[in-house]
Amino acid sequence: MVQERTLPAFEATSAKISKEVGLMLYEDMVLGRLFEDKCAEMYYRGKMFGFVHLYNGQEAVATGVIKALRPGKDYVCSTYRDHVHALSAGVPARQVMAELFGKATGCSKGRGGSMHLFSAEHGLLGGYAFVAEGIPVATGAAFQSKYRREVMGDQSSDLVSTCFFGDGACNNGQFFECLNMAVLWKLPMIYVVENNKWAIGMAHERATSVPEIYKKAHAFGMAGVEVDGMDVLAVRTAALEAIERARAGEGPTLIEALTYRFRGHSLADPDELRSKEEKDFWFTRDPIKKLAAYLIEQNLVEQQELKEIDQKIQATVDEAVEFALSSPEPSPDDLYRYVFAEDE
Ligand SMILES: Cc1ncc(C[n+]2csc(CCOP(=O)(O)OP(=O)(O)O)c2C)c(N)n1
């Protein structure tokens, strides 16, 4: 096991969250967790096809960043590990589940599946199967946002673009090219590296010359911060600062969130390469338990309220499965629909 990085210090009370915000963050993380636990069950029951990559353990990153954005306006761009980003962006659980089942009622009309969730309505620019593929897409979205305001005079164009990707993506050329352009043009862009220490079976330190990814931002003159990716309040605080910077026209930020996936790379991965010692270490940092403990300790909520949220979310997830199961398959007559943008 590689020596764990020392987490940056963060005082939770400095986030000054209200009960309402605390419960909103808790609910969103529980939705991500329970939704994906159900995905695993459905995958092994043969309801989903192809690869399915779960996000269990990393929920504080999606929730901390996306719930700080303006829902349905700002952009969210993901990878093949995209279910929870879609849920945090507001895509209804039933539409995400139906997409995983390949049904016509899915958010990508059953054409995308697990790795290609998309929703224009929710600002979700897509899940992408190629490593680092979303980085130029999100950077382009940030460029058009700025271009509309500054060149076309649309003052209402102040959208911020966020892009989530893994540590493995940071050794890809697109990452460096986009960082350069984003700083050069001061784009309203937030790059969120979810450093979960592994790229399938490749340990980050074995493949990377400077393992502290946030430092690479500094080479471009970009703000780069590291954050405890298992602490939703720390992530939210870093995200709010980055969003403010982006909207003020002061350019992009790179946030490196130190996190961990609780399951194998995909549901087809027996997860034999990571040591038990390492996994046990990270299980104790479960972001949902951490937030629950904080909310109770601060007397913001009672255990019973959290339990009721858990039950409500479980019902939402169960309903999503019912919806997906009873939804129709895409019709062969529609094979050529949605190929061009003007097709509705
Ligand atoms: C361009 C490209 N090369 C290789 C792959 C095969 N591949 C799929 S996932 C993955 C690991 C990526 O790891 P990371 O970026 O750290 O993200 P994580 O899976 O940890 O979320 C690789 C190499 C791919 N999908 N795309």
Side-chain angles (χ1 to χ4, degrees):
M1 181 176 147
V2 179
Q3 175 66 41
E4 297 291 348
R5 265 164 72 175
T6 308
L7 292 172
F10 177 75
E11 179 48 58
T13 50
S14 70
K16 294 194 180 71
I17 53 156
S18 61
K19 170 175 182 166
E20 190 191 8
V21 170
L23 288 180
M24 178 271 289
L25 298 174
Y26 178 81
E27 182 165 330
D28 193 56
M29 287 200 289
V30 170
L31 174 62
R33 179 69 57 88
L34 296 183
F35 182 93
E36 292 216 316
D37 286 346
K38 183 60 82 177
C39 288
E41 187 189 324
M42 291 296 132
Y43 179 86
Y44 293 123
R45 282 172 56 185
K47 301 292 180 195
M48 297 171 191
F49 309 95
F51 288 109
V52 175
H53 309 81
L54 299 191
Y55 191 74
N56 284 182
Q58 301 184 203
E59 294 88 352
V61 187
T63 300
V65 175
I66 299 172
K67 289 299 180 194
L69 298 170
R70 291 177 306 191
K73 289 192 163 177
D74 296 313
Y75 297 114
V76 174
C77 192
S78 184
T79 65
Y80 43 84
R81 206 177 294 289
D82 56 351
H83 315 159
V84 178
H85 298 133
L87 294 170
S88 292
V91 185
R94 45 166 38 199
Q95 285 184 26
V96 179
M97 193 64 85
E99 189 58 41
L100 291 167
F101 280 52
K103 297 296 183 77
T105 53
C107 59
S108 306
K109 310 280 194 286
R111 269 51 168 190
S114 168
M115 296 194 261
H116 300 288
L117 302 177
F118 174 81
S119 174
E121 186 191 340
H122 299 93
L124 180 67
L125 298 173
Y128 291 90
F130 294 150
V131 171
E133 192 185 358
I135 300 177
V137 174
T139 306
F143 178 83
Q144 64 85 34
S145 172
K146 189 177 160 96
Y147 186 89
R148 278 177 206 269
R149 189 175 64 238
E150 294 185 359
V151 180
M152 301 178 77
D154 177 1
Q155 292 310 314
S156 67
S157 179
D158 62 348
L159 304 186
V160 170
S161 183
T162 61
C163 187
F164 295 81
F165 48 92
D167 41 278
C170 297
N171 291 326
N172 183 300
Q174 299 178 83
F175 171 69
F176 298 99
E177 293 177 37
C178 288
L179 257 56
N180 177 56
M181 285 187 272
V183 177
L184 184 66
W185 295 325
K186 287 201 169 170
L187 300 184
M189 183 68 225
I190 304 173
Y191 298 101
V192 185
V193 185
E194 304 201 43
N195 184 352
N196 62 14
K197 303 185 57 168
W198 292 85
I200 313 184
M202 174 57 75
H204 179 57
E205 286 76 7
R206 284 190 65 204
T208 306
S209 56
V210 177
E212 293 92 352
I213 300 164
Y214 74 99
K215 289 184 181 169
K216 294 178 185 177
H218 304 160
F220 293 90
M222 184 189 294
V225 292
E226 67 175 343
V227 65
D228 178 357
M230 307 304 265
D231 182 346
V232 70
L233 300 181
V235 177
R236 180 176 169 86
T237 301
L240 286 169
E241 276 173 25
I243 292 166
E244 202 179 312
R245 182 177 297 119
R247 277 208 226 287
E250 291 167 11
T253 304
L254 173 70
I255 297 175
E256 180 183 8
L258 302 175
T259 185
Y260 202 70
R261 58 172 158 73
F262 286 171
R263 292 176 181 264
H265 172 72
S266 74
L267 286 172
D269 172 16
D271 194 16
E272 289 166 341
L273 292 166
R274 304 182 304 168
S275 71
K276 182 175 181 314
E277 186 194 2
E278 181 181 285
K279 287 184 218 175
D280 288 346
F281 172 81
W282 283 89
F283 288 155
T284 63
R285 289 182 167 179
D286 188 321
I288 298 179
K289 289 186 185 150
K290 188 176 175 83
L291 179 67
Y294 177 76
L295 295 176
I296 289 169
E297 176 203 301
Q298 294 291 311
N299 290 320
L300 284 169
V301 301
E302 299 199 356
Q303 189 70 54
Q304 183 58 25
E305 288 174 89
L306 300 182
K307 205 172 152 192
E308 283 165 17
I309 289 178
D310 295 350
Q311 288 165 346
K312 183 180 87 176
I313 296 297
Q314 191 58 61
T316 303
V317 170
D318 292 344
E319 192 278 334
V321 171
E322 288 305 315
F323 175 76
L325 284 171
S326 60
S327 289
E329 302 277 345
S331 163
D333 296 339
D334 287 345
L335 188 62
Y336 297 110
R337 280 186 82 190
Y338 314 120
V339 175
F340 296 104
E342 62 267 27
D343 282 351
E344 282 302 312

